[in-house]
Amino acid sequence: MKDTEIKRLLSAHIVSVLSISLTTIVPPLFLENFSVLGTHLIWLCICSICVTTVNIILYIILKPNPSSKRISFAHKVTKFLKCCVFFFISCILFHGIIVLYGAPLIESVLETFLFAVLLSTFTTLHCLCMLGPNIQAWIRVFSKNGAMSIWDNSLQITTMCSIVGAWLGAFPIPLDWDRPWQIWPISCSLGATFGYVAGLIIAPLWIYWNRKQLTYKSR
């Protein structure tokens, strides 16, 4: 395994972490009374847009899974539209799953949907950038020993950390502490964000530590 590839992965993850940090620093300079807790829905939108933009730019620059085939413009447009459909479906599915896990069905619909969009941004969007709208590739990556590159390992780690973080973030909600961050879905979205950031930090470190043991099948 080339160390240069690990360095590319690390640099991409550092940029992603910095982009999330900027969503808490930059908006107060332009929006009055902005805060992550006080104007949480606005922050959810800003964070989702920022992470989406950064992921797409990093994918275009780094090209972690380059294709040797020449792709036509029409094929690129079709692929982009499929990715948009996949992302929207992911938001709907996450929304439904969150409701099944106890989120309000009728009340706080906007809050729940924006949280679903954030989760999709941390998980599905990453998959779409890396693997495209290819369900078989997704199943392969998230199956046992299915990773074919360090980018696949990174995808596994960041996705799982985001989902686990969101799940852990739900634990404080029913407690009678009367804290502002217990309002739905603040603790869950912060948990997902911290999980995503943790995954971005853990992935390159874990890959570097296990680089001698990691072997990948040819595509």
Side-chain angles (χ1 to χ4, degrees):
M1 183 186 301
K2 296 181 179 178
D3 287 344
T4 53
E5 196 69 9
I6 298 178
K7 290 179 181 178
R8 292 175 72 227
L9 176 69
L10 177 62
S11 62
H13 283 203
I14 291 174
V15 172
S16 297
V17 172
L18 290 176
S19 69
I20 294 177
S21 302
L22 289 176
T23 62
T24 64
I25 299 172
V26 176
L29 301 177
F30 302 95
L31 300 175
E32 189 176 355
N33 299 322
F34 174 87
S35 68
V36 174
L37 300 183
T39 54
H40 191 66
L41 296 186
I42 296 176
W43 178 80
L44 284 176
C45 296
I46 294 173
C47 186
S48 298
I49 294 171
C50 185
V51 172
T52 298
T53 304
V54 169
N55 269 305
I56 293 173
I57 292 174
L58 287 174
Y59 173 75
I60 293 173
I61 294 175
L62 297 177
K63 296 180 179 178
N65 294 318
S67 176
S68 57
K69 298 179 181 179
R70 190 169 184 176
I71 302 174
S72 65
F73 178 75
H75 180 78
K76 291 180 179 179
V77 172
T78 303
K79 184 178 179 180
F80 174 76
L81 294 176
K82 284 184 178 179
C83 288
C84 292
V85 173
F86 272 53
F87 184 79
F88 179 73
I89 293 173
S90 171
C91 294
I92 299 298
L93 289 176
F94 268 123
H95 186 104
I97 293 171
I98 293 167
V99 169
L100 290 176
Y101 268 86
L105 176 61
I106 299 176
E107 298 178 356
S108 306
V109 174
L110 179 60
E111 288 85 347
T112 304
F113 184 74
L114 290 179
F115 173 46
V117 171
L118 184 74
L119 265 181
S120 295
T121 304
F122 290 157
T123 58
T124 307
L125 177 74
H126 213 175
C127 292
L128 289 171
C129 288
M130 298 288 295
L131 306 172
N134 186 343
I135 296 296
Q136 291 182 344
W138 293 25
I139 295 173
R140 186 259 305 164
V141 167
F142 290 100
S143 61
K144 186 178 180 180
N145 301 322
M148 291 185 174
S149 68
I150 62 172
W151 299 94
D152 289 349
N153 286 126
S154 168
L155 193 59
Q156 294 170 341
I157 294 171
T158 53
T159 299
M160 293 305 299
C161 285
S162 300
I163 294 174
V164 171
W167 179 68
L168 292 176
F171 279 81
I173 293 178
L175 302 178
D176 57 349
W177 294 346
D178 295 327
R179 301 295 182 184
W181 48 266
Q182 287 180 281
I183 300 173
W184 174 256
I186 295 178
S187 63
C188 287
S189 56
L190 291 180
T193 304
F194 286 131
Y196 180 65
V197 171
L200 291 172
I201 297 171
I202 292 170
L205 296 177
W206 183 87
I207 291 169
Y208 181 78
W209 184 264
N210 295 278
R211 66 190 185 282
K212 294 182 180 180
Q213 289 77 30
L214 291 174
T215 56
Y216 300 108
K217 301 175 183 177
S218 60
R219 292 183 182 276

